[in-house]
Amino acid sequence: MAAMVIYPLILCAFGLAVLIAYLVLIPSKYKGPPAGSGGSGVSVHVLVLGDIGRSPRMTYHALSIAKHGGKVNLIGYLETAPHPDVLSGPNITIAPLPTPPRRPSSIPFILFAPFKVLSQVYHLTHLLAYALPPAQWILVQNPPSIPTLAIASLICRLRGSKLMIDWHNYGWTILAGTRGANHPLVSISKLYECYFGRHGASHLTVTHAMARQLRQPPYSIAQPMLAVHDRPAAIFQPISPVASTSTSTRHAILNRVIAPENADLIPRILDHSVRLVVSSTSWTPDEDFSILLDALTQYATSSSVPFLVIITGKGPQKAHYLARIASLTKAGRLPNVRIATAFLPFPDYAALLACADLGICLHMSSSGVDLPMKVVDMFGAGLPVAAYSGYESFGELVREGENGCGFETAEELAGILGRLLGGEGGSGSGSGSGRAELEVLRRGAVREGSRRWDEEWDRTVGRVMGFTS
Ligand SMILES: *[C@@H]1O[C@H](CO)[C@@H](O)[C@H](O)[C@H]1NC(C)=O
């Protein structure tokens, strides 16, 4: 056990020595914007230690800065295709980081992690201290925290840039979720995150609850802090409620996104005699999918309104749950409920959400103070949600009776499904109270989803960076 801790420590010390030697060649300093340049003089390095194409929030920051005439270097891995506007815009340059080495399965995590971190330290330092010109701001996503927070804060000191930390979550709570709360790296990364977290000149958070928490120990952050809520991407839009176009639009979408084996249900989905429920998941342990399966079996025994449940996404536990779904179906526990899985291109996923009757979210926040992006997108498509509610920040996004319903157990979810969707269906049939409630929620979802990123950004980050007043 001692060797397992000492070995990485020696490596880290060695890395630190190399780093200090490297930094003796002091990098150039930021000297202020060119005279008379206004907003176009602001330069920002937007940094995420992740795939740029799968970092929507950092992408939106970059696009917003560029839209106001700022100059952005967007730093991260180039794995999937970045947002097209990032590639086409004249004010954004992508500064790719080399993809980190992958861990061979024969090497334990705790021995491999220091190697990976050292290589990241080297590439980040090289890029931020020498390859790129100094910027007025470095805007860094947290997590991942190691080694970005330390490097970014060091570079800001050396080059006279200001550090802005965008807190999406906490690195140490995620690590505790995947490695176990007692793993030695969990407490190290907690100390690290609390220490370097205090080095920001200003901070952004995804919720008010997170901002409140960061003010308290162990974080004890004293600098200015603003909550900037995520907003849906432009691709998520409700279907126009005008009846003449809405049915044909929905028909075209359903034909495209529903697999042939369920195509027989399309006419009945269109007239609402079959309800379309959508859930998206990354099939990881922090979403307990058995809650949904249990709720569906309970629902199926008490209601006769049929469902098509489409679950989208890829992930490690998918095969496990598919086997459970197959055995429940075979045992006759899911009469009237068909469950399909899919992995859809982004535009098709957005269109599917706009056609559905209810979205389901099983996100269980590891920090208790983040929010699920998928619910933001569902609202963007005008889709009301039933979402797991057992964490502090839940009410900042989902408001009971206004745009969705919260549940903590399968029984509660089954109750919601029965109440909202299990009543009498059919177009033009007398509207039960569940139908009326669902319509209220739908209008609330459309309202919530109509609040978009630009207005949120302009009155928060835009002001701090000096683009808007
Ligand atoms: C890029 O910046 C200029 C000012 O330098 C601005 O006029 C223009 O609108 C920006 N372009 C985009 C696509 O954001």
Side-chain angles (χ1 to χ4, degrees):
M1 191 61 213
M4 277 186 127
V5 178
I6 288 165
Y7 183 39
L9 281 181
I10 292 173
L11 271 173
C12 289
F14 176 71
L16 209 64
V18 172
L19 180 67
I20 291 167
Y22 191 48
L23 290 172
V24 169
L25 312 155
I26 297 293
S28 65
K29 280 205 174 248
Y30 179 72
K31 300 246 168 49
S37 53
S40 62
V42 179
S43 57
V44 186
H45 295 332
V46 176
L47 168 61
V48 52
L49 201 63
D51 177 27
I52 293 173
R54 279 174 295 181
S55 301
R57 189 170 155 102
M58 299 320 271
T59 296
Y60 299 150
H61 281 306
L63 291 173
S64 295
I65 295 165
K67 200 184 276 180
H68 286 92
K71 294 286 176 279
V72 178
N73 278 293
L74 182 52
I75 305 161
Y77 301 129
L78 266 183
E79 287 167 6
T80 58
H83 194 289
D85 295 351
V86 163
L87 298 174
S88 66
N91 300 338
I92 303 180
T93 310
I94 293 184
L97 288 167
T99 320
R102 296 224 180 280
R103 176 167 66 100
S105 53
S106 55
I107 299 181
F109 171 77
I110 196 153
L111 293 184
F112 181 77
F115 282 108
K116 182 170 158 184
V117 170
L118 277 186
S119 111
Q120 289 168 330
V121 165
Y122 168 75
H123 290 295
L124 277 170
T125 314
H126 174 72
L127 197 63
L128 287 170
Y130 302 101
L132 294 175
Q136 186 171 354
W137 290 92
I138 296 182
L139 170 54
V140 58
Q141 167 177 325
N142 184 76
S145 326
I146 300 173
T148 32
L149 272 192
I151 300 293
S153 98
L154 179 70
I155 298 292
C156 283
R157 299 228 159 157
L158 289 174
R159 307 199 82 178
S161 308
K162 285 191 275 190
L163 180 63
M164 184 182 275
I165 303 175
D166 189 14
W167 296 84
H168 295 198
N169 214 323
Y170 308 129
W172 71 271
T173 57
I174 294 177
L175 198 63
T178 53
R179 299 277 151 194
N182 296 323
H183 196 279
L185 280 184
V186 171
S187 41
I188 294 174
S189 74
K190 182 174 178 181
L191 281 174
Y192 165 96
E193 215 168 344
C194 293
Y195 178 74
F196 286 104
R198 290 175 210 137
H199 288 210
S202 99
H203 300 263
L204 311 175
T205 60
V206 290
T207 61
H208 294 297
M210 186 180 282
R212 281 195 299 275
Q213 207 169 69
L214 285 171
R215 292 259 179 244
Q216 307 296 323
Y219 308 97
S220 309
I221 291 175
Q223 296 95 3
M225 195 176 319
L226 286 170
V228 180
H229 286 109
D230 281 317
R231 299 292 183 205
I235 200 168
F236 295 95
Q237 298 288 346
I239 292 172
S240 149
V242 180
S244 57
T245 58
S246 122
T247 307
S248 61
T249 310
R250 294 176 71 227
H251 199 168
I253 295 170
L254 294 174
N255 273 335
R256 200 167 71 234
V257 301
I258 291 186
E261 66 266 28
N262 292 313
D264 57 309
L265 297 180
I266 292 176
R268 297 176 62 204
I269 293 171
L270 284 172
D271 74 12
H272 296 282
S273 57
V274 169
R275 300 313 194 98
L276 179 59
V277 175
V278 177
S279 185
S280 95
T281 178
S282 44
W283 299 102
T284 49
D286 60 36
E287 291 186 7
D288 184 359
F289 236 77
S290 55
I291 293 185
L292 176 58
L293 293 185
D294 290 349
L296 286 171
T297 53
Q298 289 175 32
Y299 167 86
T301 57
S302 63
S303 174
S304 58
V305 176
F307 277 6
L308 173 62
V309 182
I310 300 183
I311 304 170
T312 70
K314 277 183 187 159
Q317 296 193 327
K318 184 169 171 182
H320 163 79
Y321 280 111
L322 284 185
R324 260 194 75 185
I325 292 167
S327 75
L328 286 172
T329 307
K330 210 164 145 223
R333 304 269 311 276
L334 289 169
N336 288 323
V337 175
R338 265 197 238 173
I339 302 179
T341 57
F343 189 75
L344 298 169
F346 216 47
D348 285 349
Y349 172 64
L352 172 66
L353 293 186
C355 284
D357 293 296
L358 187 69
I360 292 183
C361 174
L362 297 161
H363 171 82
M364 295 177 178
S365 168
S366 72
S367 60
V369 291
D370 65 336
L371 286 170
M373 195 64 204
K374 60 189 139 203
V375 171
V376 174
D377 292 337
M378 285 170 178
F379 286 158
L383 179 64
V385 301
Y388 177 81
S389 62
Y391 54 97
E392 187 186 335
S393 54
F394 178 77
E396 287 185 42
L397 182 61
V398 182
R399 279 174 296 275
E400 196 71 42
E402 197 181 310
N403 53 23
C405 300
F407 61 83
E408 290 190 37
T409 62
E411 289 70 33
E412 286 168 10
L413 177 56
I416 293 169
L417 294 175
R419 192 173 84 236
L420 294 181
L421 304 176
E424 66 266 48
S427 57
S429 74
S431 55
S433 66
R435 248 179 115 76
E437 185 183 351
L438 190 62
E439 189 46 40
V440 168
L441 297 182
R442 179 174 287 281
R443 282 200 296 271
V446 171
R447 210 163 42 240
E448 178 68 30
S450 69
R451 301 165 60 192
R452 298 283 160 154
W453 173 260
D454 284 348
E455 52 181 296
E456 181 85 4
W457 196 88
D458 288 359
R459 66 173 184 76
T460 52
V461 195
R463 274 188 202 160
V464 178
M465 288 189 172
F467 291 112
T468 49
S469 46

